[in-house]
Amino acid sequence: MAALGSPLRTLRGLLRELRHASARAGRPYRDTPAYQHVLAAFRAHRVTSEKLCRAQQELHFQAATYLCLLRSVREHLALHHEYHGKGERSPDEVAGLVGFRLPQQPGGKG
């Protein structure tokens, strides 16, 4: 099984993604039910010195998976907005998107 990292790092990543999602909605992320649920779940599954909490490991795995989903969706939307739906483009624009320049025609015709 791959290492998940620390639960605190996962929690911070989840809260960062919630902040990004709430910024698009235009409201504070601390007022959302998702923020309150994530904090409550992480607080409820803390490891104490008296017991080994298997549910905490399951929660951490689910949180890491959900963090991956949120990050992937945000990055997908950014790429989608950058490269999709601008209609027909000229060959110069398309070449510029991928970092190329079209060769110039001799005699200054292009």
Side-chain angles (χ1 to χ4, degrees):
M1 184 169 131
L4 293 174
S6 74
L8 182 61
R9 187 175 185 169
T10 304
L11 175 63
R12 286 179 179 164
L14 275 172
L15 296 180
R16 186 179 311 115
E17 292 302 322
L18 287 175
R19 189 170 43 243
H20 285 298
S22 295
R24 284 181 284 181
R27 64 181 197 192
Y29 76 103
R30 291 183 186 220
D31 296 339
T32 62
Y35 174 83
Q36 295 165 0
H37 175 74
V38 167
L39 282 183
F42 268 87
R43 285 181 183 140
H45 291 87
R46 283 186 291 209
V47 176
T48 63
S49 60
E50 300 172 5
K51 64 179 181 175
L52 176 63
C53 185
R54 184 176 183 146
Q56 191 261 350
Q57 293 174 348
E58 292 174 11
L59 173 78
H60 187 206
F61 179 75
Q62 288 177 350
T65 303
Y66 192 61
L67 172 61
C68 180
L69 172 72
L70 287 174
R71 190 175 290 149
S72 298
V73 166
R74 180 175 51 88
E75 291 172 357
H76 168 74
L77 285 174
L79 288 173
H80 182 75
H81 287 300
E82 184 175 346
Y83 292 106
H84 183 73
K86 294 186 180 173
E88 190 71 26
R89 297 180 185 203
S90 70
D92 291 329
E93 276 186 287
V94 173
L97 280 176
V98 295
F100 294 122
R101 279 190 1 205
L102 291 178
Q104 296 295 323
Q105 296 269 339
K109 293 185 178 181

